[in-house]
């Protein structure tokens, strides 16, 4: 998948949402007329019309992005998610989280999502759902699982491709930390759209930024606020798993 195809898929989802909303409103109005129901039609219609308008507006936005995005040509022979030092994030609907990671050439490098998705969790409020244990999978561009994040409210276990525990991520309101193989400690700093991992030597080894992108990447990623992940080349696989755990915690329920 390319970022252009992602924009087109997102547009189709929004268009379907607009059609479904308009269809439901039409059915309600038709039934009310046939059965002579005495209901406040304007009050009933307003929520459906609002959803229909918002979804259609989003459809136009993503359609335009798809048309403006340059067709992606793969510049990398192997899209190894754990070896990329620059990744862009796109979001897909999910009960908890589903992140798509793209390389600067606009091609899919992998994704992060729940291993088993239970549809009934769509209707659970996030303040209840966030207290439930979750299993998140990290996948490469071919759908092969290359890591897992076993999360509960207090910590996230970092599990590598072999099923071994490589470390832990401890989310806290003020100072989240990760401890990985060899006892290495990473401290998460920053706020809002800028996050940083600082190692024991005070060096910045990872950052998450929005609103920053080299000009050549913007030919593919039309949304200027696309989140950008930047990794230090020296990070080990276990440290990169800690990064994905931090990003997953930050973006939980972003597109719920």
């Amino acid at each position: 998948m390319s970022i252009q195809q992602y924009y087109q898929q997102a547009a189709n989802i929004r268009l379907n949402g607009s059609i479904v909303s308009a269809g439901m409103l039409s059915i309600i109005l038709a039934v009310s007329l046939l059965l002579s129901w005495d209901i406040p039609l304007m009050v009933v219609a307003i929520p459906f019309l609002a959803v229909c308008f918002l979804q259609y507006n989003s459809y136009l936005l993503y359609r335009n992005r798809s048309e403006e995005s340059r067709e992606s040509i793969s510049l990398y022979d192997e899209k190894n998610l754990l070896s990329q030092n620059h990744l862009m994030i796109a979001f897909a609907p999910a009960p908890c989280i589903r992140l798509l990671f793209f390389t600067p050439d606009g091609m899919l490098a992998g994704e992060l999502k729940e291993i088993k998705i239970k549809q009934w969790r769509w209707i659970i409020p996030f303040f209840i759902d966030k207290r439930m244990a979750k299993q998140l999978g990290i996948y490469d561009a071919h759908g092969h699982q290359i890591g897992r994040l076993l999360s509960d409210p207090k910590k996230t276990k970092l599990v590598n491709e072999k099923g071994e525990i490589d470390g832990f991520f401890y989310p806290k309101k003020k100072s989240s930390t990760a401890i990985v193989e060899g006892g290495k400690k990473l401290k998460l700093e920053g706020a809002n759209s800028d996050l940083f991992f600082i190692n024991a030597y005070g060096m910045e080894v990872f950052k998450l930024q929005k609103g920053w992108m080299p000009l050549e990447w913007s030919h593919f990623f039309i949304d200027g606020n696309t989140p950008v992940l930047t990794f230090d080349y020296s990070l080990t696989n276990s440290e990169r798993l800690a990064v994905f755990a931090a990003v997953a915690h930050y973006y939980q329920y972003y597109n719920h």
Side-chain angles (χ1 to χ4, degrees):
M1 177 194 291
S2 68
I3 188 64
Q4 185 183 53
Q5 292 169 327
Y6 163 78
Y7 287 146
Q8 186 58 55
Q9 287 185 6
N12 292 339
I13 291 173
R14 270 67 178 185
L15 180 60
N16 290 337
S18 178
I19 293 173
V20 169
S21 180
M24 292 178 65
L25 176 59
S26 299
I27 291 172
I28 291 173
L29 294 178
V31 171
S32 66
L33 291 174
L34 288 174
L35 301 180
S36 300
W37 286 349
D38 187 15
I39 59 175
L41 293 181
M42 286 302 300
V43 174
V44 172
I46 287 175
F48 289 96
L49 291 175
V51 171
C52 183
F53 172 78
L54 292 174
Q55 289 290 315
Y56 188 74
N57 189 60
S58 294
Y59 156 71
L60 294 177
L61 175 66
Y62 279 103
R63 188 193 66 178
N64 290 339
R65 287 177 180 174
S66 177
E67 292 174 350
E68 294 173 14
S69 177
R70 182 180 297 176
E71 185 175 353
S72 300
I73 300 176
S74 182
L75 301 178
Y76 304 92
D77 293 332
E78 181 59 40
K79 302 294 184 185
N80 188 335
L81 184 62
L82 295 180
S83 66
Q84 300 294 329
N85 293 328
H86 297 287
L87 292 170
M88 266 57 67
I89 300 178
F91 304 92
C96 174
I97 188 171
R98 187 182 178 193
L99 305 180
L100 305 178
F101 301 103
F102 291 86
T103 48
D105 59 0
M107 298 300 293
L108 182 69
E111 63 180 312
L112 186 155
K113 62 181 180 180
E114 286 191 273
I115 295 174
K116 294 182 179 179
I117 299 177
K118 299 176 181 178
Q119 297 300 324
W120 52 266
R121 284 185 40 232
W122 279 100
I123 61 174
I124 295 180
F126 80 93
F127 61 87
I128 296 177
D129 191 77
K130 70 179 181 179
R131 298 181 181 275
M132 301 172 62
K134 301 175 183 65
Q135 295 190 40
L136 307 179
I138 302 172
Y139 302 86
D140 64 17
H142 306 291
H144 176 68
Q145 188 179 114
I146 57 177
R148 282 183 294 154
L149 306 174
L150 309 182
S151 136
D152 61 48
K154 294 184 178 180
K155 66 181 183 301
T156 299
K157 292 181 182 179
L158 313 177
V159 182
N160 63 25
E161 189 174 10
K162 298 178 181 179
E164 303 166 339
I165 297 177
D166 267 1
F168 298 88
F169 174 72
Y170 299 94
K172 295 181 180 179
K173 289 184 178 180
K174 293 185 178 180
S175 181
S176 298
T177 57
I179 299 176
V180 298
E181 60 178 348
K184 295 180 182 178
K185 186 176 181 180
L186 300 172
K187 184 179 179 181
L188 188 65
E189 296 184 354
N192 299 325
S193 58
D194 294 332
L195 295 178
F196 307 88
F197 255 144
I198 307 297
N199 65 13
Y201 303 102
M203 297 174 57
E204 180 186 294
V205 294
F206 154 78
K207 59 184 175 183
L208 165 66
Q209 294 178 297
K210 286 179 66 177
W212 173 89
M213 191 186 304
L215 182 61
E216 59 269 23
W217 299 359
S218 64
H219 296 310
F220 306 109
F221 301 90
I222 305 303
D223 183 2
N225 286 320
T226 300
V228 180
L229 304 180
T230 303
F231 300 81
D232 186 86
Y233 72 93
S234 64
L235 284 182
T236 64
N237 281 359
S238 60
E239 291 171 317
R240 290 171 185 260
L241 288 178
V243 168
F244 286 117
V247 171
H249 178 74
Y250 181 75
Y251 282 119
Q252 276 194 96
Y253 310 110
Y254 184 85
N255 199 20
H256 179 63

